[in-house]
Amino acid sequence: MRLLNKIAVITGAGQGIGAAIAKAFIKEGAAVCIAELNAKTAEDVAWKLRADGGRAIAVQCDVADRASIDNAISRTISEFGRVDILVNNAGVNVFRDPLEMSDEDWRRCLAIDLEGAMHGSRAVLPGMIERGVGAIINIASTHSFSIIPGCFPYPVAKHALLGLTRSLGIEYASKGVRVNAIAPGYVDTPIAEAYFQTFPDPAAERKKAEDIHPPRRMCRPEEVAMTAVFLASDEAPFINASVITIDGGRSVIYHD
């Protein structure tokens, strides 16, 4: 019970990595708020967690809207009394040609992948500072430090998210608040599967993604989740303004 009696808000937790983090947090003794844009998937996840004996609520939340994330935090405090942990997991893939990309695509990517984390952090920081303790975990990406052609402007937002992680971590370290990031590579989620299905041979495309990783497989959502448990727990009191990469070693390969 590494998170016993801790209260967590997890954005984008209606599926994939976010849902896995919520499940792992419940298993480790936390209560969670599933803050998710899709109200149905949010409630589905929360219902399953409650059915297994966990404490969970679902709140519809658009992280690009500061008032919306403020509402999710307020609902959590009303239900559970405070917020000890924030996981800024909500994100969106926006892959466009830089010169053909619309202004709306640019704004959407930055609003969700970067500003959403800032909105959430601003909502929880006052309470964390007042209590002298708190953990914020930003789900970044290997796009945060590497570039894959054809993925603009997603890496721009994810690079900036690491800057936000480091800046906030240093800014509030003396107040007892730790801010860290996790940078996964390919993760076997419904979003990844939907991407593979856009190809004529989805199985071949999946195998291609698996084979570029040294372990010859993709990361599992629960592997990201358990790293989040560690960073959120009292076992990581001196880890701050840092990023943990979860990609099986792929990012250290110079070329294939």
Side-chain angles (χ1 to χ4, degrees):
M1 304 295 283
R2 298 155 76 190
L3 302 179
L4 185 63
N5 296 326
K6 293 187 182 292
I7 312 301
V9 175
I10 307 161
T11 67
Q15 64 174 353
I17 292 172
I21 291 173
K23 183 177 180 180
F25 277 20
I26 289 286
K27 183 179 179 181
E28 296 293 337
V32 302
C33 169
I34 308 299
E36 162 69 42
L37 183 62
N38 186 316
K40 183 182 184 306
T41 60
E43 184 51 49
D44 286 347
V45 171
W47 183 87
K48 290 175 183 176
L49 295 174
R50 290 193 298 267
D52 289 337
R55 294 187 297 158
I57 62 171
V59 180
Q60 185 176 24
C61 177
D62 178 359
V63 298
D65 179 355
R66 186 176 175 186
S68 184
I69 188 68
D70 284 348
N71 175 64
I73 300 304
S74 295
R75 288 275 305 279
T76 305
I77 294 172
S78 176
E79 181 74 20
F80 299 123
R82 65 187 186 279
V83 175
D84 301 306
I85 305 159
L86 170 67
V87 182
N88 288 310
N89 169 72
V92 61
N93 291 338
V94 180
F95 300 156
R96 301 288 186 270
D97 181 281
L99 297 182
E100 296 177 1
M101 176 187 63
S102 69
D103 290 345
E104 176 55 32
D105 281 337
W106 171 263
R107 285 190 293 266
R108 178 170 174 261
C109 184
L110 272 290
I112 297 172
D113 292 332
L114 175 61
E115 293 172 14
M118 184 57 187
H119 292 331
S121 299
R122 290 178 73 174
V124 301
L125 275 167
M128 291 180 174
I129 292 168
E130 182 180 358
R131 292 188 303 277
V133 64
I136 297 174
I137 302 167
N138 296 322
I139 304 302
S141 166
T142 49
H143 286 267
S144 298
F145 41 78
S146 300
I147 300 297
I148 301 175
C151 293
F152 189 91
Y154 184 72
V156 178
K158 290 299 185 178
H159 272 67
L161 184 58
L162 282 195
L164 179 68
T165 300
R166 291 163 175 157
S167 295
L168 291 181
I170 297 305
E171 197 73 24
Y172 297 106
S174 65
K175 308 294 185 181
V177 180
R178 298 180 295 110
V179 186
N180 292 292
I182 298 173
Y186 274 96
V187 183
D188 197 355
T189 64
I191 291 176
E193 179 57 31
Y195 170 72
F196 297 142
Q197 291 299 323
T198 65
F199 291 86
D201 188 343
E205 199 61 31
R206 169 181 280 273
K207 188 175 187 307
K208 187 188 301 184
E210 292 172 342
D211 286 349
I212 65 172
H213 296 87
R216 295 297 185 265
R217 67 172 178 86
M218 291 186 289
C219 177
R220 302 183 184 102
E222 56 269 26
E223 292 170 324
V224 181
M226 292 313 296
T227 304
V229 167
F230 169 65
L231 288 175
S233 75
D234 295 335
E235 298 170 10
F238 216 60
I239 299 179
N240 182 47
S242 297
V243 56
I244 296 179
T245 303
I246 307 178
D247 69 349
R250 171 65 196 178
S251 60
V252 303
I253 298 175
Y254 183 66
H255 64 77
D256 294 310

